[in-house]
Amino acid sequence: MKNLTRRAFVGSMTGFGATTALPAFGQGPTSGAILKKAIPSTGEQIPAIGLGTWITFNVGNDERLRAARAQVMQTFFDRGGSLIDSSPMYGSSEAVIGYGLARIKNKATLFSAGKVWIVLKTLGVNQMEASRNYWGIERFDLMQVHNLLDWSTHIETLKEMKAQGRVRYIGITTSQGWRHGGLEQIMRTQPIDFVAFSYNVIDREVEERLLPLAAERGIAVIVNRPFQEGVLIERMMHHPLPHGQARSIARTGRSSS
Ligand SMILES: NC(=O)c1ccc[n+]([C@@H]2O[C@H](COP(=O)([O-])OP(=O)(O)OC[C@H]3O[C@@H](n4cnc5c(N)ncnc54)[C@H](OP(=O)(O)O)[C@@H]3O)[C@@H](O)[C@H]2O)c1
């Protein structure tokens, strides 16, 4: 038991690696409305929690590992999930998403969020087309410039694609506090629908300028690294929960904060 990881425990509880809406202490899944947020530029509502695919979906051609990811996606959709995020930077993740989408049911709510991560216009166009084929979708709901790479080139392509109805929303991403100054400038001057950056209980720099600016400009925010890639969990795992919290978890299976 000493070396049992959270992931292994979750797998043994459910038969697969899904972490979404886990049954608590052997009870059935919790019911209730899913928290949704409106995309400011249209008012369209999507669930607040999405599915990221960095590392976790980069499993190559291994059939068993691919099938396990497809099962995670199925559970995600069955429990009301919608947004899946990926990038050409994430190895085989896009192909693994496509494998899952081709096999699962009940995926009509998919909100596909891809990224362009390359320099030069032609290469960007080709990369986005390759991503669309990997996913096996007609068009992306959201296409983002990954980590601001050659953003001034790609933003023009994305604006054209949006005007032609080939993508519904456009955005820009960064993480770990990189290039916030540049991101702020883009948010002030470009007609983007989404912005993505890191935000968690330790990394709160975005509260000063970027979050208020997003609210002011009507830009939707995607938060990445909410647990600092798991570091926050590791730092806290040996600390006992405050008394009230522990009682709350025992009763509902989830923290109240
Ligand atoms: N520049 C960008 O555009 C950018 C940058 C970073 C991330 N992203 C996107 O954001 C997604 C999420 O980022 P991230 O992976 O850094 O997220 P994260 O949530 O900060 O880190 C995930 C880690 O947290 C652990 N974890 C999650 N929920 C937990 C729980 N309830 N209890 C214990 N441990 C838990 C996971 O553990 P296990 O390993 O045990 O599952 C995993 O190691 C990525 O997949 C990607 O799609 C985009």
Side-chain angles (χ1 to χ4, degrees):
M1 286 300 278
K2 204 172 168 198
N3 295 323
L4 186 66
T5 63
R6 182 188 73 84
R7 190 175 285 190
F9 174 74
V10 167
S12 70
M13 287 281 288
T14 61
F16 50 84
T19 59
T20 326
L22 262 185
F25 304 115
Q27 297 163 5
T30 49
S31 59
I34 295 219
L35 176 65
K36 292 190 174 182
K37 297 278 181 184
I39 300 167
S41 60
T42 60
E44 179 182 357
Q45 301 249 342
I46 55 172
I49 307 276
L51 177 63
T53 58
W54 182 58
I55 300 179
T56 48
F57 272 60
N58 183 17
V59 297
N61 291 319
D62 186 308
E63 271 296 316
R64 193 180 53 86
L65 296 178
R66 282 185 163 214
R69 272 69 193 165
Q71 182 65 73
V72 169
M73 291 168 72
Q74 182 70 70
T75 304
F76 177 70
F77 286 117
D78 287 348
R79 306 281 170 92
S82 178
L83 187 150
I84 298 181
D85 174 274
S86 196
S87 167
M89 187 199 196
Y90 304 162
S92 60
S93 295
E94 294 179 299
V96 174
I97 290 172
Y99 172 97
L101 288 177
R103 281 160 183 78
I104 63 181
K105 302 175 216 132
N106 189 25
K107 61 193 176 200
T109 54
L110 170 68
F111 187 97
S112 50
K115 303 196 191 89
V116 54
W117 182 65
I118 202 162
V119 292
L120 299 181
K121 181 179 174 86
T122 321
L123 296 183
V125 169
N126 291 347
Q127 189 181 62
M128 288 187 270
E129 186 58 12
S131 293
R132 197 181 64 74
N133 285 323
Y134 278 132
W135 285 58
I137 54 176
E138 216 165 287
R139 65 174 176 179
F140 278 97
D141 292 297
L142 166 63
M143 183 52 73
Q144 309 155 97
V145 182
H146 195 157
N147 287 351
L148 279 70
L149 186 61
D150 202 5
W151 72 267
S152 56
T153 301
H154 299 315
I155 201 77
E156 297 308 322
T157 311
L158 291 181
K159 283 192 245 179
E160 283 165 28
M161 287 172 68
K162 187 177 167 187
Q164 294 162 357
R166 289 160 56 211
V167 64
R168 297 174 61 221
Y169 299 102
I170 62 176
I172 307 258
T173 80
T174 187
S175 64
Q176 300 177 82
W178 288 324
R179 297 182 64 183
H180 276 185
L183 191 64
E184 183 178 339
Q185 204 48 34
I186 295 165
M187 290 170 70
R188 287 192 187 284
T189 56
Q190 297 295 328
I192 52 173
D193 304 289
F194 276 80
V195 67
F197 42 65
S198 299
Y199 183 40
N200 55 61
V201 290
I202 304 285
D203 301 317
R204 297 176 56 180
E205 188 194 323
V206 295
E207 288 175 359
E208 285 165 29
R209 299 173 74 91
L210 297 187
L211 279 174
L213 181 60
E216 182 192 315
R217 302 267 304 161
I219 300 171
V221 172
I222 294 180
V223 163
N224 58 46
R225 300 183 192 261
F227 298 117
Q228 268 191 353
E229 287 178 57
V231 171
L232 291 182
I233 308 269
E234 279 161 32
R235 274 175 66 177
M236 297 299 154
M237 68 196 297
H238 301 297
H239 296 275
L241 289 169
H243 185 58
Q245 282 288 81
R247 261 213 321 250
S248 161
I249 286 173
R251 198 172 56 247
T252 65
R254 54 173 68 173
S255 163
S256 56
S257 60

